[in-house]
Each structure stands twice: as structure tokens, then as C-alpha cells.
Amino acid sequence: MIRNRLPWLARPWFFVAVLLLALNDHLFKATWPGPVTGKLSDVAGLVVVATLVSVLVGPGPGTVLAGLAFLALKTVPGVAEAVAPLLGGGTTLRDATDLVALLALPPLWVVLRRRGPVPSSRTRRGWAVLGLLAAVAATTATSPPPPSEVRAVGYTDGAFHAEVYLEGGYGSRWMRSTDAGVTWAREDDPGPIPEAERLGHDGSQQSCVPDGVCLRVAGVHVAGSQEWDRGWWIQRRVPGGDWRAEKYLGSSSYRVNGIAIDPASSEHAVVAVGTTVQVRTPSGAWRAVDLVAPASDPEWQRELVTSLGTPGFGLVVFVLASLLGWLLVPWLAARVVFQVMNVLALGVVFVLGVLASPVRRVQMYATWALVVVVLAVLMRFTWWLDRRSRRAAGGTEPPEAGSG
């Protein structure tokens, strides 16, 4: 029974996992960025979520369901974006290497199976409620959404392509250049693009083309700085030659996300750096091209989304949905149920929207309004069909809307 499994949330190891998740997301990642802190969040978060689900359905199904959900989150396109409002508005990055966190599930299953259901008491219930509240806060208030940046670059079909992530819940947009990176225009998702080879966990990358020309972005330690603070250089190598530094990018605050070379003309290349792409010319010079501005929507569209994404507009949607239900739903009992569901939807949307971006809130409002309209129209249509069939049969018509 759930009541006997609830004390699992009061166990010391559960509180340790919750505390570790919160500290790692809001402190450790900012202080010590890297693969260790990234994987630590995955392990702690998976233990917390798997325990919560196990309380509801048991340790076996709970750990399996949590593992499958984590697998989808890290590998299936669109899943991370869909659950972003539940995770504080940020989008979880897909990375198959994060699946190493699944190794935490078998030991957790053994611990839960060994302890089994525990008879509940008032004290245990109190600690369990505290653990539940802490877990919900830690899992929904994850680290802030990442800033806008160029996340990937590649060369396919005779053009350079760049994936630009826009902060504020706008997601990713794709840009295309057919003139060696001079000008860029928005495009649909081009599909898989070649990725540069990662040389290590420090972010170094390398890309080569068939003629033997290679580019790499490598870090050089900056004297007097912290161990993880590195200076980044774009380096180029031709067949039979040594690596030659061509462009200094700065410290590790610049996030390098990819390298692309035109295989037909290796003099042309682009490197994704922060919100820009560094574009190489045949002379060996590099220049920065900002892609966030051209990838963004017009200012008036962003202002409109911001206005519609306020809690006040959520109340407007609630009032309109209530009026629509009262006018279209033909039966009094169904109207009451409809209004109760509308109130519950209001509460859910406001709770999930506390940390969500205006874009996410607008999406939730639109989904809410669509569900309300579909339900109300289906109820009205069903009532109309019933009325029509009764008329055709010469029987008694169903009561009009509003008569009960």
C-alpha cells in the first residue's frame, strides 16, 4: 500500500539525494562546471524520481518506469522540450553519456526491496511529507535555463548549417548559409549534421576533411587562473604541416559548440562560439557573425508573447473557458463537472507556470483553451445528435441546455 511505502521518503539517504540535487544544480555546477557535476545531477535526480514513483507503484515498476522516462528524456527528440515546464522552465540537454546514471537504479531497487513497506506513524508521515515537498522543490526548480547560444554547426548539401538556441523558452532555430558564412537565413531542421570530434572533457574539438586539412579548438592554460579556466585557440593544420594558431577566442567563458569545414573548399570554415559563429576567409582571417538576432522573432512578436504569458491572461482564459462551458455544455450536472475541471486546470497551470517562461505559459494556456473548446463542442454535438434522433423517432426531445 502507498501508505506503508510513504516512509521511504523519510529515509536519510533520500534527504541526502534531494540535498545533493539542489546543491549541485544551484551551486556546484556554477562553481565547478564539467562532466562530473553534470552526471551528479543525473544520478541524484534519478534516485529522487525513482523513489517517488516507487512509492506510488512499488519498487520494481517504479524503478523501471523512472529508468524508461530518463532514457526518453536523454535520447528522444522533443521529450526534454515537452517536460521543460515541469523542470523549472529550462530544457534538459540530450546526451547519451548521461545514461550512465541508470547504474544507480539497481542498488536503489535492492534497498527498497530489502526494507519493504514500513508501518506508518505520525512522525514518519511528517518526515515523509517534508521529504516529498523537498523533492518536488528540488526536481522542479532545477538550474536556470541556459542563455542563448549557437549549439551546433555542420556542413551538408552545399551549405553551412547552425542550430541557434534562444533563451526564454523559444527553443532552437536553424540557420543556413550558402555563401561560406557571409550571410545567414532561417531554415527548417536540416536533419543530422556532421559533428566535430571531441578530444576530451575540457571541450577541445577537432574536425578534418578528406583533403587532410584539420581545424581544432584547444585550450591553453592561462597563467595565474583556476585549473578549469583556459584560453581557447582556433588552430589549423594542413597535410604534412604542424598545428598553427589562427584565432584566439578568449577564456573558457566562451562556450565552443562545434566546427564545420567546407570539404570542397577547406579554406572556408565556421566555429560555433557563444552567440556567434567565427567565419574563416581564404586569407586565414576570422570574423564573428552574430546569429541570435537573425534567428529571433521580430520584436513585436516577442512583446506579444510576453503580454499573453502573464498570470493575468491566465485568469482571462479561465473566465472565458467558464463562460464557454456554461453556454455550450447542455446538461447541468455536466456543467458542474466541467467547471470543477476548469478550476483544477487553473491551479495546475498556475503551479507549473510559476517558474516557466512566458512562451511556456502561452503554450499551456493554448493547450488548456483547446481542451476546453473540444470538450464543450463534443458535449454540445452529442446533445444535438441525441435531440435529432429523438425528433426523427417522434419521441420526447432531450431538455434544452440549461434546463438540467
Side-chain angles (χ1 to χ4, degrees):
M1 295 176 59
I2 294 178
R3 181 178 180 182
N4 291 335
R5 292 193 292 264
L6 193 61
W8 289 344
L9 305 184
R11 305 303 302 177
W13 55 263
F14 182 74
F15 278 96
V16 169
V18 171
L19 181 63
L20 185 61
L21 176 62
L23 288 176
N24 193 66
D25 277 347
H26 296 280
L27 179 61
F28 298 160
K29 281 185 176 179
T31 307
W32 302 292
V36 175
T37 51
K39 300 297 185 289
L40 197 58
S41 276
D42 296 327
V43 173
L46 189 55
V47 168
V48 170
V49 172
T51 304
L52 292 173
V53 179
S54 296
V55 168
L56 296 176
V57 299
T63 52
V64 171
L65 289 175
L68 292 176
F70 184 77
L71 180 65
L73 182 70
K74 292 295 183 178
T75 59
V76 180
V79 173
E81 292 78 4
V83 301
L86 297 175
L87 302 177
T91 301
T92 302
L93 298 180
R94 292 193 300 274
D95 185 354
T97 64
D98 291 341
L99 297 181
V100 69
L102 293 172
L103 296 175
L105 291 180
L108 176 64
W109 176 79
V110 171
V111 170
L112 296 179
R113 289 278 296 178
R114 182 175 299 173
R115 293 188 178 278
V118 180
S120 182
S121 66
R122 181 173 298 180
T123 302
R124 286 198 181 99
R125 286 197 298 270
W127 280 104
V129 170
L130 180 61
L132 176 62
L133 295 177
V136 171
T139 53
T140 57
T142 56
S143 51
S148 299
E149 64 178 356
V150 181
R151 283 193 169 174
V153 290
Y155 189 93
T156 58
D157 301 327
F160 286 108
H161 306 272
E163 180 188 6
V164 183
Y165 173 80
L166 302 176
E167 62 185 347
Y170 287 91
S172 293
R173 307 286 171 80
W174 283 92
M175 305 293 290
R176 174 188 176 95
S177 174
T178 57
D179 55 6
V182 177
T183 60
W184 296 79
R186 285 173 60 168
E187 65 168 349
D188 295 330
D189 188 340
I193 58 175
E195 296 184 357
E197 176 189 1
R198 296 189 178 273
L199 303 178
H201 293 304
D202 63 351
S204 300
Q205 301 181 40
Q206 175 177 304
S207 181
C208 300
V209 288
D211 66 3
V213 173
C214 295
L215 280 179
R216 75 178 181 187
V217 178
V220 179
H221 180 63
V222 179
S225 64
Q226 299 290 340
E227 180 182 355
W228 55 85
D229 188 14
R230 306 169 70 87
W232 293 101
W233 284 88
I234 300 178
Q235 302 172 351
R236 188 170 186 264
R237 185 183 65 188
V238 297
D242 296 325
W243 287 104
R244 183 172 64 88
E246 290 194 341
K247 174 72 175 180
Y248 178 64
L249 298 177
S251 70
S252 61
S253 60
Y254 291 87
R255 183 181 174 96
V256 179
N257 283 329
I259 304 171
I261 307 174
D262 182 351
S265 178
S266 57
E267 298 292 328
H268 297 288
V270 298
V271 177
V273 184
T275 61
T276 68
V277 286
Q278 292 284 339
V279 179
R280 189 182 190 279
T281 64
S283 65
W286 292 82
R287 66 184 185 90
V289 178
D290 176 54
L291 291 188
V292 170
S296 301
D297 295 328
E299 182 66 25
W300 69 268
Q301 291 186 16
R302 298 198 298 271
E303 291 179 355
L304 178 62
V305 169
T306 301
S307 300
L308 297 180
T310 60
F313 189 74
L315 291 176
V316 172
V317 174
F318 169 74
V319 172
L320 293 177
S322 297
L323 291 176
L324 184 66
W326 194 259
L327 292 174
L328 291 184
V329 177
W331 307 287
L332 181 59
R335 283 179 177 175
V336 173
V337 174
F338 191 91
Q339 298 301 331
V340 171
M341 293 175 58
N342 199 33
V343 171
L344 292 176
L346 174 68
V348 171
V349 168
F350 267 75
V351 169
L352 296 181
V354 169
L355 297 176
S357 66
V359 174
R360 297 296 183 188
R361 284 196 289 268
V362 170
Q363 291 173 345
M364 288 189 286
Y365 296 159
T367 303
W368 179 14
L370 178 62
V371 171
V372 165
V373 170
V374 170
L375 286 177
V377 170
L378 284 177
M379 290 182 182
R380 187 73 182 187
F381 184 65
T382 301
W383 172 82
W384 177 79
L385 288 178
D386 187 33
R387 184 182 182 186
R388 182 180 179 184
S389 62
R390 287 176 180 267
R391 277 183 175 178
T396 304
E397 294 185 9
E400 294 289 339
S403 60

